[in-house]
Amino acid sequence: MKIISEISELGQAAAALLAGDLVIFPTETVYGLGANALDATAVTKIFSTKGRPSDNPLICHLTSMEQIEQVSPEVSDLTYRLFSCYAPGPLTLILPKLPEIPSVVSAGLPTVGVRIPDHPITQEFLRLVGVPVAAPSANLSGKPSVTAADYANSDFADQPAVKYLIDGGRARIGIESTVLDVTGEQPTILRPGKITAEQIRRDLNIEVVYASGSAQTPRAPGMKYRHYAPEAPLFLVQGNSDEIAQCILQVLTDKNIYTGNVGLWLPKALMKEVKCKILAMRPNLNLTLADYGDMVEATKRLFAQLREFDLHNCNLIFAFEESESEAGHAYLNRLLKAAQS
Ligand code: TXA
Ligand code: MG
C-alpha cells in the first residue's frame, strides 16, 4: 500500500481504482475503503478485504449531485432539497438503484446508498475517477471505524488489494454519515449521524422519523452486526463521580482485577474525582485516562480513543453514558453498539 497526501499524486490512485484495485480515502466523517462501483469484481474485494458480510450494502460516493444519474434513475424533489441543503456533507440518501450498479454493491437490494463527501482531496479524487466509488468505512469488520490514516494503515497494511491510502488528516466529524431512506412513504433515518431529524425539520420543514428499534428486521442491514468494538470489554457508567467510582470498583471486584491497565473515557468535569476515588481503593492499577469537553469533541475522538485503549493494552474500558440529547444522539448510538459487542 502506498500512502499519498498530495493532489499531484491522486492520478496514480485514480488509475489504480479504475484498474480494479482498492483505495482508502478520507472523508469528513470517517475514512472509506473504495472500489469502482461499476466493477462487481472490484467491489467483491471490499467484502473479502474487510471481512464484511456480503448482505451488508455499500454507499456510493459521488462528487456532485449531477453524478446521481450514474447510480439512480431519478432525482426526486425530496432528494434535490436534501442534497441542496446538506451536500457535500455527512448525509447518505437511500435511493432507487439503476441496473448498472451491480447487485453486490447493494447486497441485492433494489436501492442504493448515495453520499457526496465533504473533503477537498476526496472531492478531487472522485472528480478524477469519474465513476461512483462504493465504500464502507475503512476498518476491519467489527473494529472501530477509522478517523486517521494511521489506523487505516494498521488495519490494511498487509492487504494486497489495497493499493493506495490517501492521507487527509484527522476526520473532522468522527462518526459515520446519517443514513436517510427516502424511498418509502415516510423519510426514515436508518442510522443516526451528525445531521439529525430535528435539524432536517428545522432547516427544510421535512418530517423525518428514526427507524424504530431492534425488534423489527433491520432495514439498514449494517444495524445487526457486531460494531465498533475495541479488543477490551467496554462498560458504560452513569451518575456523579461517587456513583461512577462505585460502579467501576464493583466491576473490578467482580472481575478480580487489582493490577493491570484500565481505560477511562469521561467528561473533563468528572475525570479527576473518579480517578482519585479509584486509585484510593486500587493503588496498583494503571489507569489510561482520556477526557473530553463536549459532545462535538467526544464524537470526533470516540473511535480513535477506543483504538488507543487497545494500543495501551487495557484489560477493561469504562466510558460515561451521556444522557440522550440531539447533539449526543449519534454518539450514544455508536457508544452503545461498541459496548454491546
Ligand atoms: O460516513 C459514512 O457513511 C462512511 C464514509 C466512508 O462515507 N461510510 C460508512 O459505510 O459508514 P458503512 O458501509 O460502514 O455503513 C453503511 C451503512 C450500513 O449501515 C448499511 O447497511 C447502510 O449504510 N446502507 C447502505 N446501502 C443501503 C441500502 N441500499 N439500504 C439500506 N441501508 C443501506
Ligand atoms: Mg462501518
Side-chain angles (χ1 to χ4, degrees):
M1 182 196 313
K2 184 172 177 194
I3 302 179
I4 58 175
S5 57
E6 301 297 328
I7 296 267
S8 59
E9 299 168 303
L10 289 179
Q12 318 162 32
L17 186 116
L18 291 171
D21 293 320
L22 305 185
V23 173
I24 296 173
F25 58 92
T27 84
E28 78 282 25
T29 59
V30 300
Y31 277 67
L33 173 64
N36 177 357
L38 304 175
D39 178 346
T41 309
V43 173
T44 305
K45 293 180 190 168
I46 293 178
F47 289 89
S48 53
T49 301
K50 249 194 93 133
R52 181 176 174 105
S54 60
D55 60 348
N56 193 1
L58 306 174
I59 295 169
C60 286
H61 296 74
L62 310 178
T63 186
S64 69
M65 247 205 279
E66 287 75 65
Q67 221 188 343
I68 294 177
E69 65 184 27
Q70 293 183 344
V71 297
S72 186
E74 54 172 320
V75 177
S76 69
D77 182 48
L78 183 58
T79 297
Y80 183 80
R81 287 175 66 200
L82 285 162
F83 271 152
S84 297
C85 186
Y86 300 116
L91 179 69
T92 295
L93 294 183
I94 306 300
L95 303 177
K97 183 179 84 67
L98 274 180
E100 285 78 4
I101 300 296
S103 67
V104 61
V105 171
S106 64
L109 294 171
T111 54
V112 62
V114 177
R115 174 160 126 73
I116 302 169
D118 185 16
H119 192 294
I121 201 163
T122 291
Q123 279 276 333
E124 182 59 19
F125 176 64
L126 293 171
R127 206 186 56 72
L128 277 176
V129 295
V131 294
V133 173
S137 50
N139 52 282
L140 291 172
S141 210
K143 290 189 50 158
S145 303
V146 159
T147 51
D150 279 356
Y151 302 124
N153 192 28
S154 73
D155 276 16
F156 296 109
D158 56 358
Q159 296 277 1
V162 186
K163 289 289 189 294
Y164 286 88
L165 163 55
I166 306 172
D167 184 348
R170 284 197 173 264
R172 179 164 57 78
I173 294 173
I175 60 171
E176 307 85 345
S177 60
T178 305
V179 176
L180 175 59
D181 185 351
V182 292
T183 61
E185 288 282 290
Q186 170 87 69
T188 304
I189 291 182
L190 305 181
R191 178 179 69 184
K194 184 171 190 298
I195 296 171
T196 64
E198 295 82 351
Q199 185 181 350
I200 296 172
R201 221 171 284 145
R202 281 195 302 269
D203 291 342
L204 296 170
N205 200 22
I206 294 171
E207 210 41 51
V208 171
V209 297
Y210 285 100
S212 57
S214 44
Q216 67 193 68
T217 315
R219 288 175 60 200
M223 288 164 129
K224 73 183 183 205
Y225 299 109
R226 185 171 193 271
H227 252 116
Y228 315 125
E231 304 287 332
L234 171 65
F235 291 84
L236 301 188
V237 291
Q238 279 176 316
N240 60 31
S241 62
D242 269 332
E243 291 162 334
I244 291 171
Q246 275 310 317
C247 171
I248 293 175
L249 289 166
Q250 187 63 52
V251 174
L252 295 174
T253 303
D254 291 349
K255 300 206 166 287
N256 227 343
I257 293 181
Y258 294 86
T259 58
N261 203 342
V262 168
L264 298 186
W265 173 235
L266 302 174
K268 277 195 171 57
L270 289 168
M271 182 60 97
K272 196 169 165 207
E273 284 193 34
V274 172
K275 173 187 121 183
C276 291
K277 284 171 181 155
I278 293 172
L279 286 179
M281 303 300 287
R282 291 286 189 287
N284 296 325
L285 218 53
N286 213 345
L287 294 180
T288 300
L289 306 177
D291 58 14
Y292 54 86
D294 60 12
M295 270 300 97
V296 172
E297 187 191 350
T299 305
K300 183 171 174 171
R301 288 177 46 206
L302 174 69
F303 288 137
Q305 195 53 57
L306 293 178
R307 285 175 175 262
E308 289 301 316
F309 286 131
D310 281 341
L311 291 172
H312 282 85
N313 296 314
C314 289
N315 309 106
L316 291 179
I317 304 166
F318 293 92
F320 184 67
E321 183 176 347
E322 293 284 340
S323 46
E324 184 57 68
S325 67
E326 188 188 341
H329 184 72
Y331 172 80
L332 202 54
N333 169 271
R334 304 308 193 276
L335 188 67
L336 289 171
K337 286 191 179 191
Q340 278 159 11
S341 295

